[in-house]
């Protein structure tokens, strides 16, 4: 796209104003056609995906879940959650059209003018549950991330109808509704393997009492090797359902400090275990560190749905897991405290979970 804004910056505060306060995001910077990355985005060497970092040839499992009754499917899911913490699913029952529509809706939202998107900035948004932003936690970060996002906390259809941006609302709601069926089946299988045999109302609120969906936008970056799309982190969810487009760039921590690429597979959905499930399973299921690189030639989008405990839930290892005498590795924490701890600091790999360690 041709540059739409004739803007130049004299100092750092002008960039912050343009990106954060005026609602241009990094998309606005990208579209100016800068020759080099503004210094605020330059990550320390150890956070960059440079040549010295080993990328592994291994890959996370790709599981065909069309035959739920096949015990091999349940086995593959549990093994993937234990060993890799990440897997991709195909033949999951969410129609391709629903996936395509939500990706298109993401482009529609970010294609709105800065004035329009700005209405959803934290300071201006009609609700705390609808937030347009950039980077992860700009106030807390030493170096910013090359990413814009719209984050929507699902409360009810009525609230979504009233408050969510209309260009993407229906497509997002449909994707959430269709993927929920898959989430229930996955949790059912994962719980049975922990001897948690029934997901009653109490367990449902514990495992999936709140849902947040993010629309992530990673525009073309002038010096992708100097920055990150998303820094190293693990999700604080129970499970994350992640839709990515066909660009690639998501890496997951593998053995011996290597990084494994999660390649785009047409029609697939990526699933990963979050910290809440690692805690509830007493470490049996792994919430694995991951990151996204910046890209010098393509815009990338992704759409994660974070399936979380209800904010007022207290999470701790399930009694069923500890029944055989296994020692608890995590203490009980109030989930909203855990999430606040996560949001108040910059991304720092796997350290969030220390908040719950005994
Ligand atoms: C109880 C909560 C946690 C807090 O609510 P609150 O006390 O009314 O306050 P706020 O909603 O204003 O949020 C508290 C702080 O968290 C920050 N925050 C609030 N949502 C956000 C937000 N989507 N983004 C980035 N800061 C935020 C927000 O900036 C704010 O910081 P501060 O203004 O300095 O007090 C509430 O948000 C809640 O019920 N959440 C439901 C559970 C929930 O959202 N779980 C999180 C799942 S998200 C996840 O797993 C991963 C997300 C993720 C995201 C980006 C990544 O790069 C990587 C991962
Ligand atoms: O963009 C991606 O593929 C992953 C993003 C991510 O890790 C997150 O939003 O938590
Ligand atoms: Fe993540």
């Amino acid at each position: 796209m041709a540059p739409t804004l004739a803007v130049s910056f004299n100092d750092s505060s002008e960039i912050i104003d343009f990106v954060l306060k005026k609602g241009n995001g990094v998309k606005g910077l990208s579209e100016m056609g800068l020759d080099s990355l503004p210094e605020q985005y330059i990550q320390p060497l150890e956070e960059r995906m440079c040549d010295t970092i080993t990328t592994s040839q291994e890959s996370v499992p790709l599981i065909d879940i069309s035959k739920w009754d096949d015990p091999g499917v349940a086995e593959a899911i549990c093994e993937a959650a234990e060993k890799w913490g990440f897997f991709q699913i195909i033949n999951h029952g969410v129609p391709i059209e629903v996936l395509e529509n939500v990706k298109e809706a993401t482009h529609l939202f970010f294609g709105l003018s800065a004035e329009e998107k700005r209405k959803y900035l934290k300071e201006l948004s009609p609700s705390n549950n609808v937030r347009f932003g950039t980077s992860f936690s700009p106030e807390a970060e030493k170096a910013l991330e090359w990413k814009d996002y719209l984050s929507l906390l699902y409360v009810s259809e009525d609230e979504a109808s009233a408050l969510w941006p209309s260009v993407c609302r229906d497509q997002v709601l449909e994707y959430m509704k269709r993927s929920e069926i898959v989430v229930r089946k996955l949790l059912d299988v994962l719980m049975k393997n922990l001897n948690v045999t029934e997901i009653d109302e109490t367990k449902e609120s514990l495992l999936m009492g709140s849902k947040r969906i993010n629309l992530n936008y990673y525009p073309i970056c002038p010096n992708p090797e100097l920055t990150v799309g998303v820094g190293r982190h693990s999700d604080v969810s129970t499970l994350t359902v992640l839709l990515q487009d066909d660009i690639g760039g998501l890496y997951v921590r593998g053995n011996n400090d290597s990084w494994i690429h999660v390649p785009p597979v047409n029609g697939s959905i990526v699933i990963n275990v979050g910290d809440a499930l690692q805690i509830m399973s007493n470490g049996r299921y792994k919430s694995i560190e991951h990151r996204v690189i910046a890209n010098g030639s393509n815009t990338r989008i992704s759409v994660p749905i974070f399936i979380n405990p209800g904010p007022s839930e207290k999470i701790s290892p399930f009694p069923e897991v500890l029944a055989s005498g296994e020692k608890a590795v995590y203490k009980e924490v109030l989930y909203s405290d855990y999430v606040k701890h996560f949001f108040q600091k910059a991304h720092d790999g796997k350290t969030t979970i220390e908040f719950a360690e005994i």
Side-chain angles (χ1 to χ4, degrees):
M1 200 193 284
T4 48
L5 288 156
V7 183
S8 66
F9 303 109
N10 294 317
D11 62 36
S12 174
S13 68
E14 287 189 12
I15 290 212
I16 299 296
D17 186 69
F18 176 80
V19 174
L20 293 172
K21 307 221 172 82
K22 297 239 162 59
N24 291 290
V26 278
K27 180 172 186 284
L29 282 183
S30 174
E31 288 174 356
M32 289 172 66
L34 298 173
D35 335 312
S36 63
L37 187 73
E39 63 178 358
Q40 289 86 347
Y41 293 89
I42 300 179
Q43 293 283 333
L45 252 179
E46 63 274 17
E47 296 303 335
R48 301 181 206 161
M49 198 73 173
C50 52
D51 299 340
T52 53
I53 289 178
T54 42
T55 47
S56 167
Q57 290 312 306
E58 288 177 300
S59 53
V60 303
L62 181 66
I63 307 173
D64 179 341
I65 60 168
S66 53
K67 298 200 181 77
W68 277 108
D69 299 333
D70 179 347
V73 171
E75 222 170 276
I77 290 168
C78 295
E79 200 183 296
E82 288 178 17
K83 182 168 178 219
W84 303 91
F86 263 82
F87 51 99
Q88 303 209 53
I89 53 175
I90 49 169
N91 298 322
H92 39 63
V94 183
I96 294 279
E97 197 190 53
V98 171
L99 303 181
E100 291 305 317
N101 288 346
V102 83
K103 284 189 275 183
E104 191 188 316
T106 301
H107 284 285
L108 287 177
F109 174 78
F110 288 96
L112 294 173
S113 66
E115 290 71 35
E116 201 53 43
K117 285 180 286 194
R118 204 172 165 264
K119 295 180 185 161
Y120 302 101
L121 288 175
K122 186 182 172 185
E123 300 74 18
L124 301 171
S125 181
S127 158
N128 243 345
N129 302 339
V130 181
R131 183 175 302 177
F132 166 60
T134 188
S135 196
F136 173 66
S137 182
E139 301 79 19
E141 287 160 332
K142 289 204 187 80
L144 298 173
E145 299 176 343
W146 195 259
K147 177 193 88 166
D148 297 328
Y149 69 88
L150 175 72
S151 186
L152 303 165
L153 183 70
Y154 179 86
V155 175
S156 66
E157 287 257 346
D158 283 351
E159 198 203 74
S161 296
L163 298 176
W164 291 11
S166 57
V167 279
C168 57
R169 178 186 59 216
D170 296 348
Q171 303 88 321
V172 166
L173 282 170
E174 186 64 15
Y175 168 49
M176 289 185 94
K177 196 156 103 195
R178 294 295 195 125
S179 61
E180 176 155 334
I181 303 162
V182 181
V183 168
R184 281 178 188 279
K185 287 183 181 169
L186 291 170
L187 284 174
D188 213 34
V189 160
L190 290 165
M191 288 303 113
K192 283 209 176 84
N193 186 50
L194 297 176
N195 295 323
V196 177
T197 44
E198 198 205 344
I199 303 185
D200 55 15
E201 253 177 57
T202 314
K203 287 261 161 50
E204 182 166 315
S205 176
L206 195 56
L207 292 164
M208 48 190 301
S210 79
K211 290 180 212 96
R212 180 182 287 283
I213 185 161
N214 284 5
L215 311 187
N216 292 328
Y217 191 90
Y218 308 92
I220 295 172
C221 180
N223 294 107
E225 66 292 347
L226 300 180
T227 190
V228 297
V230 178
R232 298 177 298 113
H233 70 283
S234 63
D235 293 348
V236 292
S237 53
T238 302
L239 284 182
T240 303
V241 174
L242 173 72
L243 178 64
Q244 62 170 335
D245 65 9
D246 55 4
I247 302 301
L250 168 64
Y251 287 82
V252 172
R253 179 75 87 174
N255 294 326
N256 306 320
D257 274 353
S258 63
W259 291 90
I260 302 169
H261 189 231
V262 182
V265 172
N266 206 5
S268 82
I269 297 176
V270 177
I271 304 289
N272 64 280
V273 172
D275 292 355
L277 186 56
Q278 177 166 329
I279 292 168
M280 292 188 273
S281 68
N282 203 33
R284 182 106 159 247
Y285 300 135
K286 308 285 187 312
S287 171
I288 299 291
E289 201 180 355
H290 52 285
R291 63 188 344 190
V292 177
I293 59 169
N295 190 308
S297 34
N298 294 292
T299 291
R300 175 176 183 270
I301 57 144
S302 72
V303 189
I305 304 175
F306 303 102
I307 308 291
N308 312 305
S312 57
E313 293 295 334
K314 292 176 183 150
I315 60 167
S316 59
F318 286 122
E320 289 87 341
V321 178
L322 303 179
S324 59
E326 188 175 311
K327 211 166 163 260
V329 184
Y330 304 106
K331 60 187 175 203
E332 186 177 86
V333 291
L334 183 65
Y335 186 62
S336 62
D337 287 346
Y338 192 84
V339 176
K340 281 182 201 162
H341 171 70
F342 173 71
F343 281 134
Q344 83 191 18
K345 58 182 177 51
H347 280 324
D348 54 1
K350 269 294 292 176
T351 61
T352 317
I353 206 150
E354 289 167 13
F355 186 76
E357 279 170 6
I358 286 178

